[in-house]
Amino acid sequence: MEQSDKKPLPPLLSSLLGNLKQYSLGIAGAAVALLLGISSFFTTELGYTYVVQDTLFGSIRVYTEPGVHFKVPMFSNVYTYNQAMTLNFGNQENGEVIRATRQLTDVEVQFADTYTASIPATFRFKLSADPDKIIAMHREFRSYDNLIDSLLIKNAKNVTVVTATQYTGEEFFQGGLNKFKVQLEDQLQFGLYQTERRQVEVEQTDLAAVSSENDDADRLERKVQLVWKNIILQDKSGQAMRLANPLDSYGIQVRQVTIGRPFPEKRLDELLVKKKDLVAKRITAIQAQETARAEAKTAQLEKEIEKARAIQDAQRAKELAIISKQKEVEMERQQAELEQVRKEKEQAVAVLEKETQLEVATAERDIQKANAEAATYAAKAIREKGLAEAEVAKAHLLAKQAAKDIYMAEIQRDIADVMYPALKETQIKMPEYYVGDGSATPVNSLDVFTSLGAMDQLKKNMTGAPAN
């Protein structure tokens, strides 16, 4: 009866409704296809690491560079990790929270002497670029927040607390902060030191007690105190022995560690304040004593200066007198030396003159000796020459004696050459014979005449007189 109450729709309306249903299905299908197409791709940005887990095929992919990548719709999950992250324990920068920075409270530490303190610190980490290490990290922690909470925060706190046990409170707050920071960063990066709890002597430096009888009140006094500390164990090569570093498995690097101003607990702060006040009081007392001692020393120095000046003046006068006497002695000595030099010079000149005269006499003697020797040699030469000429004459004479007839003939020829021209026109009458000097041999008149005439002619020729 209910069906009979319904009225059938008009054909036109029924057709429109059918077309509308088809269009709706088409639009829905297109929307679903567009949605599936859009969800099949995702983009990656710079500074982030993306882990894509495909549940359909059971694969895991890692992307560290910007780009557009494919994923299976509805079967792929994309996990995002910051490549660099900062843990800020109490270090607020103008109250602003920096992106990729997790704000935390200060790290509470306890030192070896049971004092505690709050240390604000900032740790900056960087993820590895190795896909295998990223996948191992993702398998272990499954999300970025879990990585921060379960690994980085706990490890940073643990290393900070353990490092603090290697110091005493006073040691930390009295100059040990920089060394603490270096060791903290080293242990975060390479692993905790292996330590052993021992009771050791800690040397503390303090000022000596101030006393009016103590002239060295500003000297330092060293005190030894026994405390329990964690001592770093070393291997045979002297290097620190280390525990396994949980960051090494995932390639996470420690890029920076900064320490803010630490806050000691109330008892430690009061101890440090009292010690600082005590030191200030001692310094004030020491300064007062030093001022009094300095004034006393100044007065004493002034008297010593006056005394020294008087001594210097007397010494200077004494030295001047000595210098004056020394000058007089020196002048007299120089005068005596000049006189001595003058005498020596005169003696040297006289010696030179005598030597010159001796040299002149010696030279004259040598000249005379040379002349005598020359005359001797000349006489010898003349004698030798005369002997030679005599020998030559003797040789000539001997030659003439050897050829007497020839020599006499030559003489007769020479006489005839002179006499006959002179007797050419001369007539002389003489006896036929001429008796000479009584010798037995008679001389021919011709012989006599020719001989006398020849002699006379020779004399005329020699004197230049005219002939008879």
Side-chain angles (χ1 to χ4, degrees):
M1 292 179 66
E2 294 179 357
Q3 293 179 355
S4 62
D5 292 339
K6 291 182 179 179
K7 295 180 179 181
L9 295 173
L12 179 60
L13 181 59
S14 178
S15 176
L16 290 175
L17 290 175
N19 292 334
L20 181 60
K21 186 182 293 184
Q22 292 178 356
Y23 289 149
S24 300
L25 291 175
I27 292 172
V32 170
L34 179 61
L35 181 62
L36 290 175
I38 293 175
S39 61
S40 298
F41 296 91
F42 71 100
T43 59
T44 57
E45 297 181 6
L46 184 67
Y48 294 91
T49 296
Y50 298 86
V51 179
V52 180
Q53 183 175 344
D54 190 350
T55 58
L56 180 62
F57 299 103
S59 62
I60 298 178
R61 291 168 293 163
V62 177
Y63 300 97
T64 58
E65 299 296 332
V68 178
H69 307 280
F70 174 77
K71 68 176 181 176
V72 178
M74 297 184 301
F75 295 97
S76 295
N77 296 324
V78 179
Y79 300 90
T80 304
Y81 293 87
N82 292 334
Q83 292 181 355
M85 67 286 297
T86 302
L87 302 181
N88 197 342
F89 292 90
N91 271 336
Q92 299 289 338
E93 299 185 4
N94 299 326
E96 298 180 359
V97 178
I98 304 174
R99 185 183 180 186
T101 300
R102 182 71 65 89
Q103 296 293 333
L104 304 165
T105 59
D106 296 350
V107 180
E108 297 291 333
V109 299
Q110 185 176 28
F111 299 107
D113 54 0
T114 70
Y115 288 115
T116 61
S118 298
I119 302 178
T122 300
F123 305 92
R124 186 165 180 80
F125 302 93
K126 183 179 179 181
L127 297 184
S128 173
D130 186 357
D132 294 335
K133 292 186 179 295
I134 294 297
I135 292 174
M137 180 189 69
H138 179 70
R139 289 181 186 276
E140 184 71 24
F141 300 102
R142 297 182 302 281
S143 69
Y144 174 72
D145 292 336
N146 196 26
L147 171 68
I148 296 295
D149 296 333
S150 301
L151 178 64
L152 298 182
I153 292 178
K154 290 183 178 180
N155 187 63
K157 281 186 175 182
N158 178 59
V159 174
T160 304
V161 170
V162 171
T163 305
T165 61
Q166 300 166 12
Y167 295 83
T168 63
E170 291 186 55
E171 181 183 6
F172 179 83
F173 283 97
Q174 291 181 347
L177 180 60
N178 186 59
K179 183 179 178 182
F180 172 84
K181 174 185 174 299
V182 173
Q183 288 188 340
L184 175 60
E185 186 172 358
D186 180 69
Q187 292 183 95
L188 270 175
Q189 182 67 44
F190 303 105
L192 284 170
Y193 301 139
Q194 292 188 23
T195 59
E196 183 180 44
R197 187 168 176 79
R198 297 178 188 171
Q199 192 175 27
V200 297
E201 294 181 350
V202 177
E203 192 177 69
Q204 295 181 340
T205 302
D206 202 351
L207 292 174
V210 179
S211 173
S212 60
E213 298 178 355
N214 186 7
D215 292 335
D216 296 328
D218 56 346
R219 66 181 174 86
L220 296 177
E221 197 175 65
R222 298 186 180 275
K223 297 180 180 179
V224 177
Q225 181 181 359
L226 291 175
V227 297
W228 287 94
K229 290 182 66 175
N230 289 331
I231 304 301
I232 301 173
L233 300 180
Q234 297 180 343
D235 56 16
K236 295 181 180 179
S237 62
Q239 299 295 325
M241 301 174 64
R242 297 178 183 270
L243 300 174
N245 185 9
L247 302 182
D248 285 343
S249 302
Y250 313 114
I252 300 175
Q253 301 176 8
V254 180
R255 303 308 297 267
Q256 185 181 11
V257 175
T258 58
I259 302 295
R261 180 176 177 272
F263 300 96
E265 66 164 286
K266 184 177 180 181
R267 291 182 304 149
L268 179 58
D269 187 43
E270 291 175 354
L271 176 64
L272 294 174
V273 170
K274 288 180 180 179
K275 193 168 186 178
K276 183 171 64 175
D277 293 341
L278 178 61
V279 171
K281 290 178 181 179
R282 288 183 177 179
I283 291 175
T284 303
I286 290 169
Q287 288 178 348
Q289 288 186 350
E290 285 296 322
T291 302
R293 282 201 297 265
E295 291 176 352
K297 289 181 179 179
T298 301
Q300 183 179 359
L301 286 175
E302 289 178 353
K303 293 180 180 180
E304 291 179 355
I305 290 172
E306 293 178 358
K307 180 180 178 181
R309 287 177 179 174
I311 293 174
Q312 289 178 354
D313 293 339
Q315 185 69 22
R316 188 178 296 108
K318 179 181 178 181
E319 290 175 354
L320 291 175
I322 292 172
I323 292 171
S324 177
K325 292 296 182 181
Q326 289 177 347
K327 285 183 178 180
E328 292 178 1
V329 172
E330 182 65 20
M331 291 178 63
E332 292 178 357
R333 186 183 63 81
Q334 291 180 357
Q335 187 67 28
E337 288 180 355
L338 290 174
E339 186 67 22
Q340 182 68 23
V341 170
R342 185 182 62 79
K343 290 181 180 180
E344 291 177 355
K345 184 177 180 181
E346 292 177 354
Q347 291 177 0
V349 170
V351 170
L352 288 175
E353 290 179 353
K354 294 297 182 182
E355 289 178 353
T356 303
Q357 292 175 3
L358 178 60
E359 290 176 357
V360 170
T362 303
E364 290 179 353
R365 183 194 65 187
D366 293 339
I367 292 170
Q368 294 298 329
K369 183 178 179 180
N371 291 335
E373 290 178 354
T376 301
Y377 285 117
K380 288 181 179 180
I382 293 171
R383 179 176 175 274
E384 292 297 327
K385 182 179 180 183
L387 292 175
E389 290 177 350
E391 290 293 331
V392 172
K394 181 180 179 180
H396 286 169
L397 182 59
L398 291 175
K400 289 178 181 180
Q401 289 177 357
K404 179 178 181 183
D405 294 337
I406 296 173
Y407 179 66
M408 292 304 295
E410 288 178 355
I411 291 176
Q412 290 296 331
R413 184 194 63 194
D414 292 337
I415 292 172
D417 288 338
V418 175
M419 183 182 66
Y420 287 123
L423 297 177
K424 183 178 181 182
E425 296 179 357
T426 304
Q427 297 179 358
I428 301 175
K429 293 180 178 180
M430 294 184 62
E432 184 177 358
Y433 295 99
Y434 179 77
V435 181
D437 55 358
S439 62
T441 303
V443 180
N444 194 333
S445 300
L446 181 60
D447 293 333
V448 173
F449 174 76
T450 53
S451 299
L452 293 174
M455 295 297 294
D456 183 55
Q457 185 64 30
L458 287 173
K459 290 179 180 180
K460 289 181 180 179
N461 291 336
M462 291 177 65
T463 60
N468 293 327

